[in-house]
Amino acid sequence: MGLFVLLLGLTPVVAAAQPQTAAGASIAASAAGNVQLGLSAAPPDIVSNGSVVAPAPAINAGSGASANGTNTAPINTIGQQQEMRAAWVSTVFNIDWPSKAGLPVEQQKAEYIRMLDELKATGMNAIIVQVRPESDAIYPSKLVPWSKWLTGTQGKDPGYDPLAFMIEETHKRGMKFHAWFNPFRASTTVAKETLAPQHPARLHPNWVVAHNNLLIYNPGMPEVRQHIIDTIMEVVNNYNIDGVHLDDYFYPYGKEDFKDAATFAAYNQGRFATKGDWRRDNVNAFVRDLYASIKSVKPQVEFGISPFGIWRNAKDDPTGSDTNGQSSYDNLYADVRTWIRSGWLDYVAPQLYWSIGYKPAAYDKLVQWWSMETNGTPVKLYIGQGAYKVGTNTTDWASSNAIIQQLQFNKAFPQVQGSIFFSAKTLMKDTAGIRSSLKQYYSAENQ
């Protein structure tokens, strides 16, 4: 999903270009029965050492934890609420829509209508559209320029309001529309001179940090956080959206050091002993203030975040997951646990883009972990499904059945109230039969 420029290699969630496989690995007793799956090689950000100790159950504050550490609170149940069945639609790099920049207006509209109709026929009841891919917009904005992914030129008016059109068409079909924002990614290039004159990175060059050939907004600056909130609230106030959706772009991915020493010195002022704690507090303040801003004007609009799938590893925190990879907490400074326990979210959708039984980050273990983490809270749990991986190897992702098995596994956990698929393009192409399989699966579920 975040997200998520997975296909372009801009986040380390993507598997290696030529994954190796470990044949013969298996899992047993999944929700779908005994399943034998091969395991693909680790993505670049995952390193397996085989020595991770299973975590103790995560206990939510105020959730009814007993003295022996068992969470006794009632579990969340879907009840009469319709489960979330959504697809992410990436506009950056024209991954999902529009198919390329510069298309005539009527062709852009026709592509979106066709996508909506096919996604609904597949079983989707919601769509999550990237409306602010790199501090630009697919709607007329007073704060950021028009997106170049519409016309080929950043700042150029496409001749209509794509967001208004998309919301109207989505609602016509009885589907929900969530507006997806990349919070702290300012640009997919470090060349400021290529940006539109009104782009915030040009108006306020001190707001951004060059990092891994990207421009990233500096979360340590209060005026930066407020600017991003203002851009999101512009959409909340002006459009009939059903939800605000953020992906995993907080502090950036990568081993390169994020250059914010001067900001830390200027704004920390001795409040936190470590830069890591200070960074997490910056992101916490942003999430808290954005949630409060949304609810103050439109309490019916849902606020959700799709974080990287690992909160913390058990080797770093005994209440973390039995995994071995980078984490939201330690690498992206996104403390999702605090957001859940503080009630700053309506839903959380961790990106679990690994297979069942995958040793460094097993899908099944992570679904269990996130289910425990949201148990006893009002925060709904949706799972970010890696549909884009089907057909990428001959073992665990050989066919669309890999995703169907994951959906069947999810049913064992009442806390899981739906799924979001990355991305619409994979479903539309019916890669490895994924669209056909989902249509059959959800048709059976509806009976």
Side-chain angles (χ1 to χ4, degrees):
M1 248 201 237
L3 235 59
F4 290 83
V5 191
L6 301 170
L7 304 180
L8 278 290
L10 294 182
T11 89
V13 179
V14 188
Q18 295 179 337
Q20 301 174 0
T21 60
S26 65
I27 65 155
S30 75
N34 294 331
V35 184
Q36 300 292 321
L37 295 176
L39 302 185
S40 65
D45 57 304
I46 300 288
V47 179
S48 175
N49 62 14
S51 61
V52 178
V53 178
I59 303 299
N60 287 325
S63 64
S66 67
N68 64 5
T70 302
N71 195 340
T72 59
I75 58 177
N76 295 332
T77 57
I78 297 176
Q80 297 301 312
Q81 176 185 315
Q82 187 180 37
E83 70 171 339
M84 171 73 95
R85 302 172 183 176
W88 276 294
V89 177
S90 299
T91 54
V92 70
F93 296 106
N94 301 115
I95 291 176
D96 294 305
W97 181 91
S99 60
K100 64 179 180 179
L103 294 177
V105 170
E106 292 309 312
Q107 189 172 344
Q108 288 188 13
K109 289 182 175 181
E111 284 187 354
Y112 186 74
I113 288 173
R114 175 176 172 268
M115 179 171 61
L116 268 185
D117 288 341
E118 293 201 13
L119 289 175
K120 182 174 182 180
T122 303
M124 301 299 108
N125 56 30
I127 195 161
I128 300 176
V129 178
Q130 190 178 41
V131 302
R132 181 183 168 274
E134 48 176 335
S135 199
D136 53 9
I138 65 166
Y139 52 90
S141 171
K142 296 179 181 179
L143 300 173
V144 295
W146 280 105
S147 177
K148 70 178 180 182
W149 307 112
L150 293 171
T151 64
T153 302
Q154 191 174 72
K156 182 178 179 180
D157 189 334
Y160 76 118
D161 184 341
L163 180 54
F165 166 77
M166 297 168 103
I167 293 170
E168 181 181 4
E169 292 298 324
T170 302
H171 287 164
K172 276 182 185 178
R173 289 156 177 79
M175 301 171 72
K176 292 188 176 182
F177 186 99
H178 289 227
W180 161 20
F181 301 82
N182 293 80
F184 290 98
R185 184 173 67 198
S187 175
T188 57
T189 174
V190 295
K192 293 189 184 77
E193 65 275 9
T194 65
L195 302 176
Q198 68 271 37
H199 193 288
R202 293 192 68 173
L203 297 175
H204 306 279
N206 61 311
W207 284 5
V208 296
V209 176
H211 181 88
N212 280 347
N213 297 316
L214 306 172
L215 289 179
I216 305 295
Y217 282 118
N218 190 340
M221 301 178 70
E223 58 268 42
V224 166
R225 299 195 298 268
Q226 188 58 52
H227 164 74
I228 298 170
I229 290 173
D230 289 345
T231 63
I232 295 171
M233 291 306 299
E234 185 178 42
V235 171
V236 172
N237 285 314
N238 294 333
Y239 293 91
N240 183 28
I241 59 173
D242 299 293
V244 168
H245 183 91
L246 303 186
D247 57 31
D248 49 334
Y249 276 89
F250 296 99
Y251 280 88
Y253 286 97
K255 294 182 179 180
E256 177 184 327
D257 183 48
F258 187 71
K259 299 174 179 63
D260 61 352
T263 312
F264 178 57
Y267 290 97
N268 180 48
Q269 300 178 344
R271 291 183 302 139
F272 296 96
T274 70
K275 187 186 286 187
D277 287 338
W278 172 75
R279 286 176 172 175
R280 278 182 285 273
D281 185 69
N282 294 330
V283 177
N284 286 347
F286 167 74
V287 172
R288 177 199 65 209
D289 293 349
L290 176 56
Y291 177 83
S293 297
I294 295 168
K295 297 304 178 180
S296 69
V297 296
K298 290 186 178 179
Q300 76 278 13
V301 171
E302 289 198 306
F303 176 43
I305 296 180
S306 181
F308 184 72
I310 300 172
W311 172 70
R312 294 197 86 185
N313 298 289
K315 64 180 181 181
D316 300 312
D317 184 324
T319 67
S321 53
D322 182 10
T323 49
N324 191 28
Q326 70 173 1
S327 70
S328 288
Y329 183 96
D330 294 294
N331 300 103
L332 306 179
Y333 304 96
D335 187 3
V336 188
R337 170 176 285 178
T338 290
W339 309 343
I340 293 171
R341 293 182 174 183
S342 300
W344 297 337
L345 301 174
D346 293 303
Y347 69 85
V348 63
Q351 299 167 33
L352 304 189
Y353 297 164
W354 302 286
S355 56
I356 293 174
Y358 178 57
K359 191 173 183 180
Y363 177 90
D364 42 321
K365 289 183 178 181
L366 284 164
V367 169
Q368 292 173 326
W369 189 89
W370 285 101
S371 294
M372 288 191 295
E373 197 65 21
T374 54
N375 186 38
T377 79
V379 178
K380 290 176 284 190
L381 174 61
Y382 306 141
I383 302 299
Q385 312 283 168
Y388 74 100
K389 296 184 94 169
V390 298
T392 58
N393 64 30
T394 58
T395 53
D396 49 334
W397 294 104
S399 75
S400 57
N401 196 44
I403 291 292
I404 301 303
Q405 289 170 345
Q406 291 184 348
L407 297 179
Q408 291 170 334
F409 182 85
N410 294 350
K411 290 168 65 176
F413 299 89
Q415 298 91 342
V416 178
Q417 300 188 41
S419 292
I420 308 174
F421 299 89
F422 191 85
S423 67
K425 183 177 185 178
T426 298
L427 273 56
M428 292 288 290
K429 287 186 173 182
D430 200 19
T431 304
I434 183 64
R435 188 177 74 207
S436 304
S437 294
L438 286 174
K439 184 176 183 179
Q440 182 179 12
Y441 177 82
Y442 282 130
S443 294
E445 288 287 295
N446 291 336
Q447 293 177 358

